Amino acid sequence: MSSRRSLGQGSRRLVGGLRVRLVVTFVVVALISAVTATALAYRDARTAVLQRTQNAAVNDLRERVGVVAADVDLPPDERTLARFASKVSEGIGARIVVVRYQDLSATSDSLAETEGRITAELRAAVRAGSGARFQRVEWRGEPYLVVGLPVTYADGDRRTSGLEVFAITALRAERDDTAALLDSVRAGIVPVVVLAAVLALLAAGTVLRPVRKLGRATRELATGDLGSRVAVRGHDELAHLARTFNETADALQASDAELRAQEAKARRFVADVSHELRTPLAAMTMVATVLEEDADQLPPDAARAARTVGAETARLSRLVDDLMEISRFDAKAVRLNASVTDLADTVRASLALRGWTDRVTAELREDVRAVVDRRRVDVIVANLVGNALRHGAPPVTVTLAVADGGERGDGGDGGEWVVLEVADHGPGLAPEARERVFDRFYKADAARTRSTDTDTGSGDSDDTGGQGSGLGMAIALENARLHGGTIEVSQQPLGGAVFTLRLPLRTGEEGE
C-alpha cells in the first residue's frame, strides 16, 4: 500500500508540478495563437483570392459585352444570340456564356449544362437591376462563380435592352490555392508548438532552478542544518524570496544558538547547584539521622519536628540525586554498566528492597536473561511500581514476558523484546496526562493521586514521604532509551493505567 501511495503521490507531483503547468500553458497559448493566426490568414487569403477573381470576372464581362453588344441588332433571333454568346466567351477566356432575351437563350457551349448553375435568384437580381451581379454556387461538388449583367443602350440611355448575359467561371483553381495555403499553415503549427515547448522548458528551468535550490535549502533547514543558505542572484521576486529566506535562516540560527547557550547555562547551573548541595546535605542528613535516632527521648513536639526534618532532608537528598542524574543524561555522560542479568530476579529484588512484595502481584517469566544495567532496570521498576502504588488502586500487577518485534504493531525489526507491564486498577490517566506523564517536573492532577506523591527516581526509597519532584518518570524513560527501549502508557478497558517497558532482548556479552 505504501508503494501505491508513493506512486500516486509521484504521479500527482508529475501532473501537478509547476514545470508541467508552465510547459502546458506555453504550448496551449502557442497552439491557440497558431490556430487563430491560421484561421485569420486563411480567411483573409481566401477572401482576397475570391475578391480578385470576382472583380476580374465582372470587369472582363462588362468590357467584352460593351464591345460585342454594339453589333447586335434588336430584337435578336436565336442565331444572333448564339453568335453573341460565342464572341463574348472568346473575349473573356472561353468561359461559358449564356445570353437570354425574353424567351430566347443561347449558350457559347451547346453541350454545357447551365440550368443548375444560374439560379433563379441571380436571374431576378439581373433583371431587376442595372449593374452586374454575381453569385458563388456549388454544383456537383465543384465551386463556380456566376456573373450576370444586363445590356443597356449605348447612346446614354440607361434602360436595359432586354439582353441578359451570364458568365460561368470555375473556381477550382482558387479552391486549390486556398487549400494549399491552409495545408502550409497547418504544417507550420507543429514546429511552432515544438518551439513553444522548448522555450517553455528553458523558461521553466530558468524559473524553477532557484525554486528547487530554495526547496533543498528549506529541507536542509528542517532537518537541523541551520547553516543552509541560498545564493542570491539578480533583483527579481525570486531573488527577494531568497534574501528573505537567508534572513529568516540567519535569525533562526541566531535564536537557536542563543537558546542552546541558555540551555547549556541552565544545565550547568542545575549540575553545579546539585553538586554544591551534596556536601551540606550530607551534614544535614547525618544530623537528621542522629535526631531521628534520639527522637523517642525528646519531648513530643521536638520529636515530631526531628522526624519531619529527617523526612524532608531525605526528600531533598533524593531531589538532588534526581537532578544530578538528569544533568548527566543531558550532558550525554551516562554509560551503561551492562551484564547478563536474570530479569525476573531483578524485579523480585527491586520489590523486596522497598517492601512491596506483599502489595504487588508479580507474574514473571523465569529464565529471561538479557544484557542490561541491573541498577538502571531497578530504577525503572521502582518508578513504575511506585507510581502505580501511589496513584492507582489495588491490585497492582507486574508482568514480565518476551515478545516478538512484529507483535508491537509499529514496524518492529522482528527481533525479540523484553516486555514488562505494570498495571493498576485506579482512575487511570486522562488523555492530556498520558501525553505529558514523562515530561520533567510534570505532576498529574489530584484525581489520580491516592496517597502522597513521591518519586523514586533514584530507586532507593519506598513510596512514603512528602511531595515528589516529578522527575521519576522522566528518569525511567531516559534509562529505557539508554538500553534502546521505550516506555509506553495506555488505559485499561475497565479503568487503570498500564505502563509498558520494552527492551531489546540481547543475550550475548554485548554491553552498550
Side-chain angles (χ1 to χ4, degrees):
M1 180 178 292
S2 61
S3 62
R4 289 198 298 269
R5 187 182 299 114
S6 300
L7 290 175
Q9 293 174 349
S11 62
R12 284 195 296 271
R13 285 195 297 267
L14 181 62
V15 174
L18 184 57
R19 177 189 296 272
V20 175
R21 291 201 295 267
L22 283 174
V23 173
V24 170
T25 300
F26 268 76
V27 171
V28 169
V29 170
L31 185 60
I32 293 175
S33 301
V35 170
T36 303
T38 300
L40 293 176
Y42 175 74
R43 186 194 65 181
D44 293 342
R46 183 173 179 273
T47 301
V49 169
L50 294 177
Q51 188 68 40
R52 185 176 63 249
T53 303
Q54 290 168 182
N55 293 339
V58 171
N59 292 334
D60 291 346
L61 181 61
R62 183 181 291 115
E63 292 177 0
R64 185 59 180 171
V65 168
V67 173
V68 177
D71 299 331
V72 176
D73 296 329
L74 297 177
D77 55 17
E78 189 171 347
R79 183 177 180 181
T80 301
L81 290 179
R83 187 169 56 252
F84 179 58
S86 298
K87 289 182 178 181
V88 172
S89 176
E90 292 171 359
I92 60 174
R95 298 187 183 99
I96 300 175
V97 175
V98 178
V99 180
R100 300 177 63 87
Y101 181 81
Q102 297 180 0
D103 295 334
L104 298 177
S105 65
T107 306
S108 60
D109 186 355
S110 59
L111 300 178
E113 183 179 347
T114 61
E115 290 299 325
R117 286 178 274 188
I118 303 175
T119 64
E121 292 83 3
L122 181 60
R123 293 195 190 100
V126 172
R127 187 176 300 114
S130 59
R133 298 288 187 271
F134 61 87
Q135 185 180 38
R136 290 193 295 272
V137 297
E138 190 83 13
W139 184 70
R140 293 183 179 177
E142 295 292 337
Y144 291 92
L145 173 66
V146 182
V147 181
L149 180 69
V151 178
T152 59
Y153 292 102
D155 57 359
D157 190 349
R158 306 306 297 172
R159 292 177 302 159
T160 58
S161 62
L163 286 172
E164 298 170 0
V165 182
F166 298 90
I168 302 174
T169 304
L171 296 179
R172 181 184 302 170
E174 286 74 10
R175 181 195 62 187
D176 294 342
D177 291 342
T178 54
L181 175 63
L182 182 61
D183 292 339
S184 299
V185 177
R186 283 176 178 171
I189 291 178
V190 175
V192 169
V193 173
V194 172
L195 179 61
V198 173
L199 294 177
L201 288 173
L202 295 176
T206 303
V207 173
L208 296 181
R209 189 176 300 112
V211 175
R212 287 196 300 270
K213 293 180 179 179
L214 185 61
R216 184 166 55 249
T218 303
R219 289 190 296 272
E220 293 173 354
L221 195 67
T223 57
D225 183 8
L226 300 183
S228 178
R229 297 295 184 273
V230 179
V232 179
R233 293 185 177 87
H235 303 280
D236 56 6
E237 289 79 2
L238 291 175
H240 176 69
L241 181 60
R243 280 192 292 271
T244 302
F245 172 83
N246 291 340
E247 293 170 358
T248 304
D250 290 338
L252 183 60
Q253 190 173 28
S255 299
D256 179 75
E258 183 179 357
L259 289 175
R260 288 179 183 273
Q262 292 178 356
E263 184 180 6
K265 290 180 181 178
R267 289 174 178 173
R268 284 197 301 271
F269 175 77
V270 172
D272 293 342
V273 169
S274 302
H275 180 74
E276 293 298 327
L277 287 175
R278 293 178 70 90
T279 300
L281 269 177
M284 292 172 60
T285 302
M286 181 178 63
V287 173
T289 301
V290 172
L291 290 175
E292 284 187 288
E293 290 176 352
D294 297 336
D296 294 337
Q297 304 174 9
L298 299 175
D301 291 342
R304 187 163 49 252
R307 292 189 181 94
T308 300
V309 169
E312 292 301 316
T313 302
R315 175 174 173 269
L316 181 59
S317 179
R318 289 195 299 273
L319 175 59
V320 171
D321 289 340
D322 289 347
L323 289 174
M324 290 290 293
E325 185 75 357
I326 285 292
S327 65
R328 283 192 289 269
F329 278 115
D330 291 340
K332 309 296 182 183
V334 179
R335 296 291 182 271
L336 286 178
N337 184 19
S339 60
V340 178
T341 304
D342 188 311
L343 293 180
D345 288 344
T346 301
V347 173
R348 279 192 289 265
S350 181
L351 298 177
L353 177 65
R354 294 163 180 82
W356 293 341
T357 303
D358 295 336
R359 301 172 59 187
V360 176
T361 301
E363 300 176 0
L364 309 177
R365 173 175 169 175
E366 301 296 335
D367 298 328
V368 179
R369 302 178 64 81
V371 178
V372 296
D373 188 325
R374 183 185 181 95
R375 185 184 71 82
R376 295 189 181 279
V377 171
D378 173 73
V379 171
I380 297 172
V381 172
N383 276 286
L384 296 182
V385 176
N387 181 75
L389 290 173
R390 287 190 303 274
H391 303 299
V396 174
T397 304
V398 179
T399 304
L400 177 66
V402 175
D404 292 334
E407 297 179 7
R408 299 181 61 190
D410 58 357
D413 58 5
E416 289 187 314
W417 291 75
V418 176
V419 180
L420 178 71
E421 287 188 353
V422 178
D424 64 71
H425 291 74
L429 286 169
E432 59 273 11
R434 289 199 296 271
E435 294 177 359
R436 299 189 56 195
V437 69
F438 296 106
D439 292 349
R440 298 176 184 182
F441 299 105
Y442 175 75
K443 300 176 184 179
D445 58 20
R448 180 167 162 79
T449 302
R450 187 174 52 84
S451 62
T452 56
D453 180 16
T454 302
D455 293 294
T456 55
S458 63
D460 297 329
S461 64
D462 58 19
D463 64 334
T464 62
Q467 183 71 15
S469 65
L471 292 174
M473 301 305 291
I475 291 176
L477 180 59
E478 292 291 348
N479 279 302
R481 289 174 175 172
L482 196 62
H483 285 84
T486 186
I487 301 177
E488 302 166 353
V489 60
S490 60
Q491 193 84 349
Q492 295 193 87
L494 299 180
V498 179
F499 287 84
T500 304
L501 167 68
R502 299 181 189 274
L503 300 178
L505 181 60
R506 300 186 178 97
T507 57
E509 299 296 334
E510 49 174 322
E512 297 283 340

